[in-house]
Each structure stands twice: as C-alpha cells, then as structure tokens.
Amino acid sequence: MIALVDYGAGNLTSVRKALAAIGASVWTPVAPVELGRADGMIVPGVGHFDATRGLTKEWRTAIKAAVAGGTPLLGICVGLQWLFEGSVEAPDVQGFGMFKGSCSLFTFPVNDRQKVPHVGWNSLSMPRASKLMAGIAPGTQVYFTHSYAAPVIDDTAAICEYGVPFSAAVERDNVAAMQFHPEKSGPAGLQMLSNWLSGTDVK
Amino acid sequence: MLSKRIIACLDVRDGKVVKGVNFEGLREAGDPAELARRYNVEGIDEIVILDVTATVEARQARAHTIAAVAHEIFLPLTVGGGIHSEADAEAAIEAGADKVSLNTAALRTPELITRLAKRYGSQAVIVAIDAKRGAPPAPHQAAPYNVFARSGQSATTRDAIEWAREATERGAGEILLTSIDRDGTKAGFDCEMTAAVSDAVNIPVIASGGAGTFEHFAEVFREGRADAALAASIFHFNEKSVSDLKQYLSTLSIPVRI
C-alpha cells in the first residue's frame, strides 16, 4: 500500500485517480506512525510552500525513519520543493533538506516576455540515467504550474528550462520527486508514476 | 521551450455539451465524457467545462459531469460557470477539477479571488473575462473593452484591461479572455484585445471566442501574444482535429506539444 500524505495542501483527487489507473492501492494515513507499514510514500502538494508547515515535526520524523528504513518516497510539485532545504516563498519554513539547495522565484529581465507562474507543457532533458525517467525520451513534455523552482544539482534526474534551467525531477537512492504534475501529464506522466511504483515493494 | 496550449471548451447544459453563437442560440454537441475522451486521444492539452446555465440545483449534476470527464483524462481540468462561493469551488475541486474559473462572482465579490488563491494556490484560480468592444469615447481614442457578467447578459462598468490587472493583483493565476463579439462566429480571435490584456498582466492569458481556422490560432499566438487558445465549435462538430491543428502550428515553428 502506498501512503499518500495529506497535510492539507490542496486536492489529492487527481493523484489518487492516477495511482489507481496504474494499479496502486493507496491510503491516506491519519497518524505519522502508520507510515511504518507503507510500501511507498507520496508527498503531493499544490500552491504555497508555506502549506508544508502542515508537515509537522511528527510527520517529518516518521518520514525520515521510513526513508532510512528503505521505503521509497516520492514528492510531487511543492512536494519536490519541500525535499530541498527551503524556499524564498516562505523563508521561515524549513524544507526537509534531503537535497542541497533552496527554491527561488522565477525572475526574468524586465523586457523578457515570459510570465510567472510557469504554466503549461514544457520539455525535459535528462542529464543522466535514472529509475524515474526510464524509457522517457528526451524532449518529452509534461505539465507544470509553479512560480518557484529548485536548482539543478547532482541528484537532478530531469532538467526543464524556463528562462533558467531548473530541477524538473530529482532522484537519489529511494528518494525521488517531480516538479511537474505526472498525474496531469498524460501517458508520459503515468509512465513515470509506474516507474516509481515498480521500485516499491507493492504487488 | 514552453508550449502554446490548445484547450477544448465543453459548454455544458443539463449534462450535455451545447454551443451557441455570440452566447445565444445553443445547439447540442454531445456527451461531455465522450468528447473529452476523443480530445484526449487527439492530443488536447487541457479541458475546460463551462456550466452555462448553472444553478444551485445543478450543483450535483455538475459534480457528476466533472467526475465523468475527469475519469477520461489525465490532463488539467478547469470548471467554470456557477462558481459563486468557496463551497462551489470546493465541490468542483473535490469532484476532480484542478482549477476553477470565476466570472460573475469575481466581478461581484473580487475578494473571492484572493480567498480561493490562498486556499488552493493561484494556479487553481482562473478569472474569466467576457468582453465586448464599445464605442470610442472620443474620435482617435481607443475603443474600450467592456466587461459583461452573467454569460454576457449584464453590462458592467469594468474595462477588460483594468479588470485583468486587478484580478492578477488579487491572486488570479490565469486570465481566460473571451470576445463576445467573436464567440462562435469563426471569424477569428480578437487579437488586438488579447494582446492588450496579455501585455497588461504577467500571468498567462487564454484567448477565446472566434476560432474558425488553423490560421486563427497562429494569429492569436503571434499577434495576440496569447499563452493558450481555447475553442469549442470547431472541435465539437468534427470540423477540425486537434492533432492536425498542432501539426500545422508546428510547421510554423510555434511551440506545441505533439
């Protein structure tokens, strides 16, 4: 069973629906202790980094323990940003710090016509091989909607460019995350979720 | 590179897709879930459901339609029409919508934009603006873009550019700009109005109203500086396919998702 962590940041309906479509059974734990029996954990999220305050010390401790025990963790959208050290969107809220660096607002020269938020379909390039992006061709487009982005680091598994290059996906050992919405990215997104699921012990 | 989005609009009344001209004379165009399935296969980037005659009693029926469409697609889904309160937005989002589109309610209660943006994030809040060109106030002056409420039924004192700016400041994540003059006419998008609004705000603008040919889409992306284009009639009645449109745009080097 996959634990879909609901910390009150928006709607989980579409993530749940996408997981059902690829054959995963999902539940929403009500207490951190339940993560002990998860085959995989997903931290979704839309909207503001501040919402990750809902991931209290108890949740963080339980997630950290499960990751240390080998349970795969997947972050989606703000869930990716949370895995970094923090974000200028909410400087007083600490990130989980699994990945090095902090998230920043897209800023462009005044004459640049690019808009913020970055909304729509944009293409990926892969700096290296990863489990998450297995079988995904470079240039594949996925659906983004965000104003803040994480830097490109050694753990970056997919890069997207919007004025500047940023981490579209990261992966290290059993921790992975996507800035775009795989559940809204058609067949390619479902493929990535399946890739992640195949790395869990879910039957 | 960020692609220009092609969005199919399902105007729904009593559970069926309908389409009119200049917001009037509706005719039936099929089942929402069936159309969504077809567009998904053809490569549509996004779907918008507009409940054109939404009432309080229709809320349950709307949830049913949203769920049926959401079941067919793994794409962004927007719901508009009859979203008058946080409760309406919540019901639509619970049923499977990713974004809600506010029109009349935002004009009446602009604070609703902010409340929903705080609760769901700006990316979930689209402000829809239905505008019609008015007479220039004086010779050689620009014609205003008068904003209408209630599906084009009620004039307001707002101008589309000023209202788009305010909606952005209040937390809207996108503007869905419909030209009432062009709606359903297939005479082409109002590129001038779209460009004026697109230049006035730093959030994406979806152009709507008037799509009739593939060239119209190219025009609204280039001259109208639209970030996305929305159409209904030309897709519903099988006149044009989404995939052919994208191939065409791609040959003009307009970035699209294929």
Side-chain angles (χ1 to χ4, degrees), chain A residues 8-11 13-14 17-19 21 46-48 113-123 141-143 145-146 161-162 181-187 190, chain B residues 1-3 5 44-46 70-71 73-77 93-99 119-121 123 173-174 198-199 201-205 225 227 256-258:
Chain A
N11 169 40
T13 312
S14 55
K17 184 173 67 109
L19 289 165
V46 288
H48 206 281
R113 296 206 44 81
Q114 291 192 95
K115 296 183 173 183
V116 178
H118 173 220
V119 179
W121 298 79
N122 206 336
S123 53
Q141 297 196 26
V142 289
Y143 185 78
T145 173
H146 61 128
E161 219 168 303
Y162 190 58
H181 288 272
E183 77 280 12
K184 293 282 138 196
S185 295
L190 293 183
Chain B
M1 189 186 273
L2 183 64
S3 289
R5 287 172 283 156
I44 200 76
D45 295 317
E46 219 166 312
H71 183 74
I73 56 164
F74 293 98
L75 300 173
L77 176 62
I93 286 172
E94 297 260 302
D98 301 294
K99 320 179 196 181
R119 179 157 168 194
Y120 295 106
Q123 86 295 330
E174 293 177 76
S198 187
D199 289 349
V201 297
N202 63 348
I203 60 173
V205 172
R225 300 192 274 282
D227 300 284
V256 287
R257 163 183 167 252
I258 291 185

Side-chain angles (χ1 to χ4, degrees), chain A residues 127-163:
Chain A
R128 62 184 177 91
S130 68
K131 287 178 278 182
L132 198 59
M133 294 292 145
I136 304 294
T140 295
Q141 297 196 26
V142 289
Y143 185 78
F144 290 88
T145 173
H146 61 128
S147 298
Y148 293 78
V152 174
I153 56 172
D154 289 348
D155 298 312
T156 298
I159 298 173
C160 180
E161 219 168 303
Y162 190 58

